[in-house]
Structure formats: structure tokens, C-alpha cells
């Protein structure tokens, strides 16, 4: 009787060890698969191509639309692309009809479409440009967000670092518009980035080879002031 019990216990232990080994193998396998998927994934990029290449069928930019959200009575859609045609020169037109945002954009968003029910839609840019940062109008102050009376955009228009892509490492331009994308205006070129620091007050910074220079921008008055940060 004792021998049978010992044999049963020994067999039970082997079965439990086998089940435990299977569980460990499955767990390790899941982690390996996750690591492989994580390594293979990369955010969409926007390649810069010249005008001649843009005429070739296989090089034509692929444009797609995605609904982003709503600002007041305006519905917002982003236009994404895998390529963008390099422009020789470009300046923002104040009369024409671009995370720090609850309305998050894709990493390859190159334009925004503003549309109201019963009205024709408006594109922010006449020529696509990479939208690196976007802060939409915010009417009420919250614990995490300040009041913002206009939309703010940080936009890369040229491949300034010559890596073949438009991304956050290129020099950017700070732009503002009304909540519906109208009255697009350029505030400052060659910026590194910006930060909303108070109601309708934005900290803008740019960099030289030796120093970082800071400015404040008043969204309501349009006043851009340089801060004295010399050592």
C-alpha cells in the first residue's frame, strides 16, 4: 500500500512539473513575440522627394484621411502621407483657409481639414507640411490645460538636417490660426519647440550652436518678446 502511494505521489509530481514547464514555455514565448513585435514597429515617417520624382507613378505621395475630433462646431480630420514634395520656398498666407493636444495627430500628419455641417471644408495648407505639434483652442481652464484662444502649430516644411525625411529634428515654424483653421499666421521661423505656460501665453524656444534662446508669445495680442537669459 505504501509503495502504491509513493508511486502515485511521484507520478503526480512529474505531472505537476510537466504542467509548470508548459506554463513557463508559454509565458516566455509570449514575451519573445511581444519583443519581436515591438522591435518591428516604428511610427510612420514622411519621406522628402523632389518634383521630378513626384511625377513617377510609384513615387506619388499616398494621402489618407482620419477623423480627429471636434472643436466647437468644426469637425477636424488629419491628412496623412508617406511622402511630401520638397518645396523651393513657402510662406504662410494669413488670408488662406495647420503633445500637447487632446486631439492627437499621427506622426505623419501633413495637413488638417476643417469642416462644418452644410459648408465646404477648408484645408489648413495649400502645400502639405509635417505637423510636429498641435494645440487646439481651449475655452476653459482645467487642472491640466490652460485657456488658449487660437490653434497653435509647430510645422516642419523643409528637410533642414538633410536626412531625407521631415521629422521633429528639422527646423520648425510656429503658426497660429482661429479655431476653424482660418487666418493662418506665421509667428516665428526656425524654432525648436514651444510650451503653453499660462492662459494664452506660450514659451517659444530656438537654439544656436552655443545657446538656447527663449521668447514669450501672447496669443491674444500677438506680441513676441525675447527673454534675457544671458549668464
Amino acid at each position: 500500500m505504501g509503495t502504491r502511494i509513493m508511486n502515485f505521489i511521484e507520478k503526480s509530481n512529474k505531472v505537476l512539473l510537466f504542467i509548470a514547464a508548459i506554463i513557463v514555455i508559454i509565458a516566455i514565448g509570449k514575451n519573445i513575440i511581444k519583443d519581436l513585435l515591438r522591435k518591428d514597429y516604428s511610427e510612420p515617417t514622411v519621406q522628402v522627394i523632389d518634383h521630378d520624382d513626384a511625377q513617377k507613378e510609384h513615387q506619388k505621395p499616398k494621402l489618407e484621411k482620419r477623423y480627429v475630433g471636434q472643436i466647437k462646431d468644426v469637425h477636424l480630420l488629419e491628412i496623412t502621407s508617406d511622402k511630401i514634395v520638397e518645396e523651393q520656398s513657402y510662406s504662410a498666407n494669413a488670408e488662406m483657409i495647420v503633445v500637447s493636444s487632446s486631439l492627437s495627430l499621427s506622426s505623419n500628419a501633413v495637413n488638417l481639414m476643417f469642416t462644418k455641417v452644410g459648408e465646404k471644408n477648408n484645408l489648413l495648407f495649400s502645400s502639405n507640411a509635417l505637423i510636429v505639434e498641435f494645440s487646439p483652442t481651449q475655452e476653459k481652464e482645467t487642472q491640466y490645460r490652460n485657456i488658449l484662444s487660437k490653434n497653435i502649430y509647430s510645422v516642419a516644411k523643409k528637410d533642414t538636417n538633410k536626412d531625407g525625411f521631415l521629422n521633429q529634428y528639422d527646423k520648425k515654424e510656429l503658426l497660429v490660426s482661429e479655431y476653424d483653421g482660418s487666418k493662418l499666421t506665421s509667428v516665428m521661423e526656425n524654432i525648436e519647440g514651444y510650451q503653453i505656460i499660462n492662459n494664452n501665453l506660450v514659451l517659444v524656444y530656438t537654439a544656436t550652436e552655443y545657446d538656447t534662446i527663449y521668447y514669450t508669445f501672447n496669443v491674444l495680442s500677438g506680441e513676441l518678446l525675447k527673454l534675457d537669459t544671458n549668464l
Side-chain angles (χ1 to χ4, degrees), residues 10-75:
E10 186 177 351
K11 289 179 179 179
S12 298
N13 287 338
K14 289 180 178 179
V15 171
L16 290 175
L17 287 172
F18 177 75
I19 293 172
I22 293 295
I23 292 172
V24 170
I25 291 171
I26 291 173
I28 293 174
K30 284 183 176 180
N31 288 333
I32 292 173
I33 292 172
K34 285 181 180 179
D35 288 339
L36 288 173
L37 291 175
R38 192 178 298 116
K39 289 177 182 177
D40 290 340
Y41 175 78
S42 60
E43 286 191 335
T45 58
V46 180
Q47 182 182 5
V48 177
I49 59 176
D50 60 30
H51 288 271
D52 291 336
D53 286 340
Q55 304 307 312
K56 300 174 183 176
E57 188 64 32
H58 69 282
Q59 284 281 32
K60 288 183 178 179
K62 180 183 178 183
L63 301 178
E64 296 181 352
K65 290 181 292 187
R66 184 183 75 89
Y67 187 84
V68 175
Q70 188 172 358
I71 307 174
K72 299 183 182 180
D73 59 343
V74 172
H75 297 278

Side-chain angles (χ1 to χ4, degrees), residues 85-200:
V85 180
E86 187 174 28
E87 297 291 334
Q88 298 302 314
S89 62
Y90 180 90
S91 59
N93 182 353
E95 301 300 320
M96 63 172 285
I97 287 285
V98 154
V99 160
S100 53
S101 165
S102 60
L103 306 178
S104 58
L105 302 182
S106 301
S107 62
N108 60 334
V110 296
N111 215 330
L112 291 178
M113 178 186 292
F114 298 85
T115 182
K116 297 181 182 180
V117 175
E119 296 184 15
K120 193 178 186 304
N121 70 69
N122 294 317
L123 284 177
L124 189 63
F125 300 133
S126 57
S127 298
N128 290 336
L130 182 69
I131 305 170
V132 178
E133 290 185 78
F134 168 54
S135 300
T137 298
Q138 171 75 12
E139 292 185 297
K140 296 180 180 180
E141 185 177 11
T142 68
Q143 182 179 356
Y144 303 104
R145 297 187 66 197
N146 296 107
I147 292 173
L148 197 59
S149 298
K150 296 184 179 183
N151 296 343
I152 299 179
Y153 319 85
S154 172
V155 177
K157 298 174 179 175
K158 292 186 178 182
D159 180 22
T160 56
N161 64 358
K162 303 300 180 184
D163 65 352
F165 296 90
L166 284 181
N167 50 44
Q168 70 270 27
Y169 304 111
D170 292 306
K171 290 294 183 181
K172 296 167 284 291
E173 183 176 1
L174 186 70
L175 301 168
V176 298
S177 78
E178 299 300 321
Y179 80 97
D180 60 358
S182 63
K183 298 181 180 178
L184 182 68
T185 306
S186 175
V187 176
M188 186 176 182
E189 295 183 343
N190 297 327
I191 72 166
E192 293 293 323
Y194 72 86
Q195 180 181 348
I196 300 168
I197 56 175
N198 210 330
N199 291 336
N200 283 316

